Amino acid sequence: MKLWRDRLLLLCALISINALSVSGQDSDVEAVRPNGVSGPVRKAQPVDSISDSTDEVSRPAASPVRKASVAKSTSGRSRKTRAKAKRTPASTPASIEYTSDGIPKTGAASVIVVDANTGQTLYEKNADQTRAPASTQKLLTALIIAERGFLDRPVTVQQIDTMAEPVKLNIKPGDTYQRIDLLRALLVKSPNDVARCLARDNAGSVEAFAEVMNRRARELGAVNSHFVNPNGLPMPGQYSTARDLSIIARTAYANSTIRSIVCLPQLVFRYANGRTRELENTNKVLKRLPYCNGMKTGYTEAAGHCLISSGSRGGRDIIVVVLGDSKAGVWRDSSALLSWGLWM
């Protein structure tokens, strides 16, 4: 009788735990709300669970039934299970620290958070420090191409366009593409040869296009920047600031063509010979946070890891610029600041 009574109690406990689990899943949780911000939030993966080491989403926790079966196992097996869980990086995500005002702390060299609609600065750290912008400056390249229009016009690749290591799409001299197809590839996968091809097609040469970039930057009010090439590869005299890049990003965000591209998680690119290749967006925040809708990554040894990210929620649009961050920190910091800006 005692054995049957114990089994019955265990069964009741399992049913109760399962009911609580289902109830919790149906409720409106606050998993991604930044510290210091009240109110209900939509369900999403916590911002501090983004890891740079993999493109896959962290595995969910084991179900209550599985926990019960582990509890029934031998003590030796339980110790092995716990030790294995400790060694799994996904089980110990890096946590976000906040200031007394509820603003996420970041390890980036330069940061700015702005309202994309009004231009109001919500938070900044060393926003006027001149730094190498890496591929984030391709947003300006794309903006100029998009503003020029005639995106259905053909572009024929020249030999000089292909001289752009290390990240290339490997377009070949003599191949012909529509501008819009190259523009999409530029913003999703960030190939340097595509940037050179579009720049040369627009202005006649990379050098002439750099003059166009500097002129457009000054028109926008990004006066503390100077560009030498269209792709962000290190060059003497090429620099920008987080504030200037946020100004450029705001204009790019308002451009419907660019907005329709930077939100794409992947893209199928068709080469001139008919071969296709799926291009995956380099922006990991876009893939992890449902309210992120762009914009552009960047990395060189001189610049560190950089990201311009954008997001929208309830009529509020935020742009975050993070420059000079670590490999893992750039995703964590950008995610935390974007969430904070949208919920503040």
Side-chain angles (χ1 to χ4, degrees), residues 149-204:
F150 305 103
L151 298 179
D152 59 342
R153 295 284 179 86
V155 178
T156 301
V157 181
Q158 295 184 7
Q159 182 66 40
I160 195 170
D161 302 335
T162 65
M163 301 175 182
E165 299 290 349
V167 180
K168 301 171 65 174
L169 195 59
N170 289 316
I171 50 178
K172 305 298 183 184
D175 288 351
T176 299
Y177 300 95
Q178 285 189 331
R179 285 176 184 164
I180 186 63
D181 293 328
L182 294 179
L183 184 61
R184 289 186 182 122
L186 177 73
L187 289 172
V188 171
K189 197 62 178 177
S190 198
N192 296 319
D193 51 353
V194 169
R196 286 178 63 92
C197 183
L198 286 169
R200 191 262 316 150
D201 173 67
N202 178 275

Side-chain angles (χ1 to χ4, degrees), residues 265-284:
Q266 63 269 329
L267 170 73
V268 176
F269 182 82
R270 182 177 294 277
Y271 287 90
N273 64 4
R275 182 172 66 90
T276 60
R277 175 183 170 187
E278 184 171 279
L279 308 179
E280 189 174 2
N281 200 310
T282 56
N283 183 0
K284 293 186 179 182

Side-chain angles (χ1 to χ4, degrees), residues 106-330:
T106 65
S110 299
V111 167
I112 193 167
V113 182
V114 300
D115 187 304
N117 299 314
T118 66
Q120 178 188 3
T121 298
L122 306 178
Y123 171 72
E124 63 179 84
K125 180 176 80 170
N126 301 325
D128 296 308
Q129 181 184 86
T130 55
R131 298 190 56 81
S135 287
T136 60
Q137 72 183 56
K138 286 174 182 164
L139 264 187
L140 179 56
T141 299
L143 177 64
I144 293 168
I145 301 302
E147 289 178 337
R148 171 78 176 271
F150 305 103
L151 298 179
D152 59 342
R153 295 284 179 86
V155 178
T156 301
V157 181
Q158 295 184 7
Q159 182 66 40
I160 195 170
D161 302 335
T162 65
M163 301 175 182
E165 299 290 349
V167 180
K168 301 171 65 174
L169 195 59
N170 289 316
I171 50 178
K172 305 298 183 184
D175 288 351
T176 299
Y177 300 95
Q178 285 189 331
R179 285 176 184 164
I180 186 63
D181 293 328
L182 294 179
L183 184 61
R184 289 186 182 122
L186 177 73
L187 289 172
V188 171
K189 197 62 178 177
S190 198
N192 296 319
D193 51 353
V194 169
R196 286 178 63 92
C197 183
L198 286 169
R200 191 262 316 150
D201 173 67
N202 178 275
S205 69
V206 166
E207 294 75 19
F209 187 79
E211 294 179 9
V212 176
M213 294 177 72
N214 290 318
R215 182 166 62 249
R216 188 70 181 105
R218 288 193 297 270
E219 290 171 356
L220 295 175
V223 296
N224 294 314
S225 299
H226 187 262
F227 303 103
V228 180
N229 61 41
N231 48 35
L233 289 175
M235 291 284 288
Q238 182 157 266
Y239 56 86
S240 188
T241 67
R243 193 182 310 279
D244 278 9
L245 289 171
S246 74
I247 293 171
I248 293 167
R250 278 190 64 218
T251 307
Y253 191 77
N255 185 284
S256 59
T257 299
I258 293 178
R259 279 281 293 277
S260 70
I261 299 172
V262 294
C263 65
L264 298 174
Q266 63 269 329
L267 170 73
V268 176
F269 182 82
R270 182 177 294 277
Y271 287 90
N273 64 4
R275 182 172 66 90
T276 60
R277 175 183 170 187
E278 184 171 279
L279 308 179
E280 189 174 2
N281 200 310
T282 56
N283 183 0
K284 293 186 179 182
V285 178
L286 176 68
K287 293 176 270 186
R288 305 299 180 85
L289 299 186
Y291 41 84
C292 179
N293 55 18
M295 297 186 75
K296 189 69 195 73
T297 58
Y299 169 75
T300 64
E301 288 188 9
H305 291 269
C306 308
L307 177 63
I308 301 175
S309 57
S310 60
S312 180
R313 173 184 175 270
R316 187 177 181 87
D317 296 274
I318 297 297
I319 289 173
V320 175
V321 181
V322 171
L323 303 179
D325 212 333
S326 66
K327 188 175 181 180
V330 67

Side-chain angles (χ1 to χ4, degrees), residues 39-62:
V41 300
R42 61 192 295 187
K43 296 178 184 179
Q45 185 179 353
V47 297
D48 60 359
S49 65
I50 292 182
S51 170
D52 171 73
S53 60
T54 177
D55 284 340
E56 296 182 3
V57 179
S58 300
R59 288 190 293 271

